[in-house]
Short mmCIF file of all heavy atoms in Angstrom, two decimals:
data_model
loop_
_atom_site.label_atom_id
_atom_site.label_comp_id
_atom_site.label_asym_id
_atom_site.label_seq_id
_atom_site.Cartn_x
_atom_site.Cartn_y
_atom_site.Cartn_z
N LEU X 194 -10.32 -6.85 7.34
CA LEU X 194 -11.65 -6.51 7.83
C LEU X 194 -12.66 -6.43 6.69
O LEU X 194 -13.73 -7.05 6.73
CB LEU X 194 -11.61 -5.19 8.60
CG LEU X 194 -12.93 -4.70 9.19
CD1 LEU X 194 -13.45 -5.67 10.24
CD2 LEU X 194 -12.75 -3.30 9.80
N ASN X 195 -12.33 -5.67 5.66
CA ASN X 195 -13.28 -5.46 4.56
C ASN X 195 -13.53 -6.73 3.76
O ASN X 195 -14.67 -7.05 3.42
CB ASN X 195 -12.79 -4.33 3.65
CG ASN X 195 -12.94 -2.96 4.29
OD1 ASN X 195 -12.84 -2.82 5.49
ND2 ASN X 195 -13.16 -1.95 3.48
N SER X 196 -12.46 -7.47 3.46
CA SER X 196 -12.64 -8.69 2.67
C SER X 196 -13.27 -9.79 3.53
O SER X 196 -14.06 -10.60 3.03
CB SER X 196 -11.30 -9.17 2.10
OG SER X 196 -10.39 -9.52 3.13
N GLY X 197 -12.94 -9.82 4.81
CA GLY X 197 -13.50 -10.83 5.68
C GLY X 197 -15.00 -10.69 5.85
O GLY X 197 -15.75 -11.67 5.79
N ILE X 198 -15.46 -9.46 6.05
CA ILE X 198 -16.90 -9.23 6.16
C ILE X 198 -17.59 -9.55 4.83
O ILE X 198 -18.59 -10.27 4.79
CB ILE X 198 -17.19 -7.78 6.58
CG1 ILE X 198 -16.68 -7.51 7.98
CG2 ILE X 198 -18.70 -7.50 6.52
CD1 ILE X 198 -16.82 -6.07 8.42
N SER X 199 -17.04 -9.02 3.75
CA SER X 199 -17.64 -9.21 2.43
C SER X 199 -17.62 -10.67 2.01
O SER X 199 -18.51 -11.13 1.29
CB SER X 199 -16.91 -8.36 1.38
OG SER X 199 -16.95 -6.99 1.73
N GLY X 200 -16.59 -11.42 2.45
CA GLY X 200 -16.46 -12.82 2.09
C GLY X 200 -17.09 -13.77 3.08
O GLY X 200 -16.86 -14.98 2.99
N ASN X 201 -17.88 -13.24 4.04
CA ASN X 201 -18.63 -14.08 4.97
C ASN X 201 -17.71 -14.98 5.81
O ASN X 201 -17.95 -16.18 5.99
CB ASN X 201 -19.65 -14.94 4.22
CG ASN X 201 -20.72 -15.52 5.14
OD1 ASN X 201 -21.04 -14.93 6.17
ND2 ASN X 201 -21.25 -16.68 4.77
N ALA X 202 -16.64 -14.38 6.34
CA ALA X 202 -15.71 -15.13 7.19
C ALA X 202 -16.33 -15.37 8.57
O ALA X 202 -17.22 -14.64 9.01
CB ALA X 202 -14.41 -14.35 7.35
N ASP X 203 -15.85 -16.40 9.24
CA ASP X 203 -16.29 -16.70 10.61
C ASP X 203 -15.45 -15.96 11.64
O ASP X 203 -15.94 -15.59 12.71
CB ASP X 203 -16.19 -18.20 10.86
CG ASP X 203 -17.06 -19.00 9.90
OD1 ASP X 203 -18.27 -19.08 10.12
OD2 ASP X 203 -16.50 -19.51 8.91
N VAL X 204 -14.18 -15.78 11.31
CA VAL X 204 -13.23 -15.13 12.21
C VAL X 204 -12.38 -14.16 11.40
O VAL X 204 -11.96 -14.47 10.27
CB VAL X 204 -12.30 -16.17 12.90
CG1 VAL X 204 -11.28 -15.48 13.79
CG2 VAL X 204 -13.12 -17.18 13.68
N ILE X 205 -12.14 -12.98 11.96
CA ILE X 205 -11.23 -12.00 11.36
C ILE X 205 -10.24 -11.56 12.42
O ILE X 205 -10.64 -11.13 13.51
CB ILE X 205 -11.99 -10.77 10.81
CG1 ILE X 205 -13.01 -11.16 9.75
CG2 ILE X 205 -11.01 -9.74 10.25
CD1 ILE X 205 -13.91 -10.01 9.29
N LEU X 206 -8.96 -11.68 12.13
CA LEU X 206 -7.92 -11.31 13.08
C LEU X 206 -7.12 -10.14 12.51
O LEU X 206 -6.57 -10.24 11.41
CB LEU X 206 -7.00 -12.50 13.36
CG LEU X 206 -7.71 -13.77 13.85
CD1 LEU X 206 -6.70 -14.90 14.05
CD2 LEU X 206 -8.50 -13.51 15.12
N ILE X 207 -7.09 -9.03 13.25
CA ILE X 207 -6.44 -7.82 12.76
C ILE X 207 -5.46 -7.29 13.80
O ILE X 207 -5.60 -7.59 15.00
CB ILE X 207 -7.48 -6.72 12.40
CG1 ILE X 207 -8.35 -6.37 13.62
CG2 ILE X 207 -8.35 -7.17 11.23
CD1 ILE X 207 -9.34 -5.23 13.35
N PRO X 208 -4.47 -6.50 13.38
CA PRO X 208 -3.45 -6.00 14.33
C PRO X 208 -4.03 -5.15 15.45
O PRO X 208 -3.48 -5.13 16.55
CB PRO X 208 -2.52 -5.17 13.43
CG PRO X 208 -2.74 -5.70 12.05
CD PRO X 208 -4.17 -6.11 11.99
N GLU X 209 -5.12 -4.45 15.18
CA GLU X 209 -5.69 -3.53 16.16
C GLU X 209 -6.36 -4.25 17.33
O GLU X 209 -6.61 -3.63 18.38
CB GLU X 209 -6.70 -2.60 15.48
CG GLU X 209 -6.10 -1.65 14.46
CD GLU X 209 -5.91 -2.25 13.08
OE1 GLU X 209 -6.13 -3.48 12.91
OE2 GLU X 209 -5.56 -1.50 12.15
N ILE X 210 -6.67 -5.54 17.17
CA ILE X 210 -7.32 -6.32 18.23
C ILE X 210 -6.51 -7.59 18.46
O ILE X 210 -6.73 -8.61 17.79
CB ILE X 210 -8.78 -6.68 17.85
CG1 ILE X 210 -9.58 -5.43 17.48
CG2 ILE X 210 -9.46 -7.44 18.98
CD1 ILE X 210 -11.00 -5.71 17.01
N PRO X 211 -5.54 -7.58 19.38
CA PRO X 211 -4.78 -8.81 19.67
C PRO X 211 -5.74 -9.94 20.04
O PRO X 211 -6.71 -9.73 20.77
CB PRO X 211 -3.90 -8.40 20.86
CG PRO X 211 -3.75 -6.91 20.71
CD PRO X 211 -5.06 -6.43 20.17
N PHE X 212 -5.45 -11.13 19.53
CA PHE X 212 -6.42 -12.22 19.66
C PHE X 212 -5.99 -13.27 20.67
O PHE X 212 -4.79 -13.48 20.91
CB PHE X 212 -6.69 -12.87 18.30
CG PHE X 212 -5.49 -13.57 17.70
CD1 PHE X 212 -5.22 -14.90 17.96
CD2 PHE X 212 -4.64 -12.87 16.83
CE1 PHE X 212 -4.12 -15.55 17.41
CE2 PHE X 212 -3.53 -13.50 16.27
CZ PHE X 212 -3.27 -14.85 16.57
N ASP X 213 -6.99 -13.93 21.22
CA ASP X 213 -6.81 -15.08 22.10
C ASP X 213 -7.17 -16.31 21.28
O ASP X 213 -8.32 -16.48 20.88
CB ASP X 213 -7.73 -14.95 23.32
CG ASP X 213 -7.57 -16.09 24.32
OD1 ASP X 213 -7.13 -17.19 23.91
OD2 ASP X 213 -7.90 -15.89 25.50
N ILE X 214 -6.21 -17.17 20.99
CA ILE X 214 -6.45 -18.31 20.11
C ILE X 214 -7.51 -19.26 20.70
O ILE X 214 -8.25 -19.92 19.96
CB ILE X 214 -5.13 -19.07 19.82
CG1 ILE X 214 -5.33 -20.08 18.68
CG2 ILE X 214 -4.59 -19.72 21.07
CD1 ILE X 214 -5.65 -19.47 17.36
N ASP X 215 -7.62 -19.30 22.02
CA ASP X 215 -8.65 -20.14 22.63
C ASP X 215 -10.05 -19.64 22.27
O ASP X 215 -10.97 -20.45 22.05
CB ASP X 215 -8.48 -20.18 24.15
CG ASP X 215 -7.28 -21.03 24.58
OD1 ASP X 215 -6.99 -22.03 23.88
OD2 ASP X 215 -6.65 -20.68 25.58
N LYS X 216 -10.21 -18.32 22.22
CA LYS X 216 -11.52 -17.77 21.87
C LYS X 216 -11.83 -18.01 20.39
O LYS X 216 -12.99 -18.19 20.02
CB LYS X 216 -11.57 -16.29 22.22
CG LYS X 216 -11.55 -16.05 23.72
CD LYS X 216 -11.78 -14.59 24.07
CE LYS X 216 -11.83 -14.42 25.59
NZ LYS X 216 -12.05 -13.02 26.00
N VAL X 217 -10.80 -18.00 19.56
CA VAL X 217 -10.99 -18.35 18.16
C VAL X 217 -11.49 -19.79 18.05
O VAL X 217 -12.45 -20.08 17.33
CB VAL X 217 -9.68 -18.17 17.37
CG1 VAL X 217 -9.83 -18.71 15.94
CG2 VAL X 217 -9.26 -16.70 17.33
N CYS X 218 -10.85 -20.67 18.78
CA CYS X 218 -11.24 -22.09 18.74
C CYS X 218 -12.64 -22.30 19.32
O CYS X 218 -13.41 -23.14 18.83
CB CYS X 218 -10.22 -22.94 19.49
SG CYS X 218 -8.59 -22.97 18.69
N ASP X 219 -12.97 -21.54 20.36
CA ASP X 219 -14.31 -21.63 20.94
C ASP X 219 -15.37 -21.28 19.91
O ASP X 219 -16.42 -21.93 19.83
CB ASP X 219 -14.44 -20.70 22.15
CG ASP X 219 -13.66 -21.19 23.36
OD1 ASP X 219 -13.27 -22.38 23.38
OD2 ASP X 219 -13.44 -20.37 24.29
N LYS X 220 -15.10 -20.25 19.13
CA LYS X 220 -16.03 -19.84 18.07
C LYS X 220 -16.22 -20.97 17.05
O LYS X 220 -17.35 -21.28 16.64
CB LYS X 220 -15.50 -18.59 17.39
CG LYS X 220 -16.21 -18.20 16.08
CD LYS X 220 -17.66 -17.84 16.28
CE LYS X 220 -18.29 -17.37 14.98
NZ LYS X 220 -19.74 -17.07 15.13
N LEU X 221 -15.14 -21.60 16.65
CA LEU X 221 -15.22 -22.65 15.65
C LEU X 221 -15.97 -23.87 16.19
O LEU X 221 -16.76 -24.49 15.46
CB LEU X 221 -13.81 -23.06 15.20
CG LEU X 221 -12.95 -21.95 14.59
CD1 LEU X 221 -11.60 -22.49 14.17
CD2 LEU X 221 -13.65 -21.29 13.40
N MET X 222 -15.75 -24.21 17.44
CA MET X 222 -16.45 -25.35 18.03
C MET X 222 -17.92 -25.05 18.27
O MET X 222 -18.78 -25.93 18.17
CB MET X 222 -15.77 -25.76 19.34
CG MET X 222 -14.33 -26.24 19.16
SD MET X 222 -14.12 -27.45 17.83
CE MET X 222 -15.01 -28.85 18.49
N GLU X 223 -18.24 -23.80 18.57
CA GLU X 223 -19.65 -23.40 18.69
C GLU X 223 -20.36 -23.54 17.35
O GLU X 223 -21.50 -24.02 17.27
CB GLU X 223 -19.75 -21.95 19.18
CG GLU X 223 -21.18 -21.46 19.36
CD GLU X 223 -21.26 -20.00 19.72
OE1 GLU X 223 -20.21 -19.41 20.08
OE2 GLU X 223 -22.36 -19.42 19.61
N ASN X 224 -19.68 -23.14 16.28
CA ASN X 224 -20.24 -23.32 14.94
C ASN X 224 -20.51 -24.80 14.67
O ASN X 224 -21.53 -25.17 14.07
CB ASN X 224 -19.28 -22.78 13.87
CG ASN X 224 -19.29 -21.26 13.79
OD1 ASN X 224 -20.05 -20.59 14.49
ND2 ASN X 224 -18.43 -20.71 12.95
N GLU X 225 -19.58 -25.63 15.12
CA GLU X 225 -19.70 -27.08 14.91
C GLU X 225 -20.98 -27.62 15.57
O GLU X 225 -21.69 -28.46 15.01
CB GLU X 225 -18.47 -27.78 15.49
CG GLU X 225 -18.40 -29.25 15.21
CD GLU X 225 -17.43 -29.58 14.08
OE1 GLU X 225 -16.81 -28.66 13.53
OE2 GLU X 225 -17.30 -30.77 13.76
#
Side-chain angles (χ1 to χ4, degrees):
L194 180 63
N195 287 32
S196 63
I198 295 175
S199 301
N201 197 29
D203 300 281
V204 177
I205 300 173
L206 305 178
I207 59 177
E209 294 84 353
I210 306 176
F212 65 89
D213 182 336
I214 192 65
D215 287 327
K216 291 187 177 180
V217 172
C218 293
D219 288 345
K220 167 65 176 177
L221 301 181
M222 297 312 293
E223 181 185 346
N224 284 358
E225 186 102 0

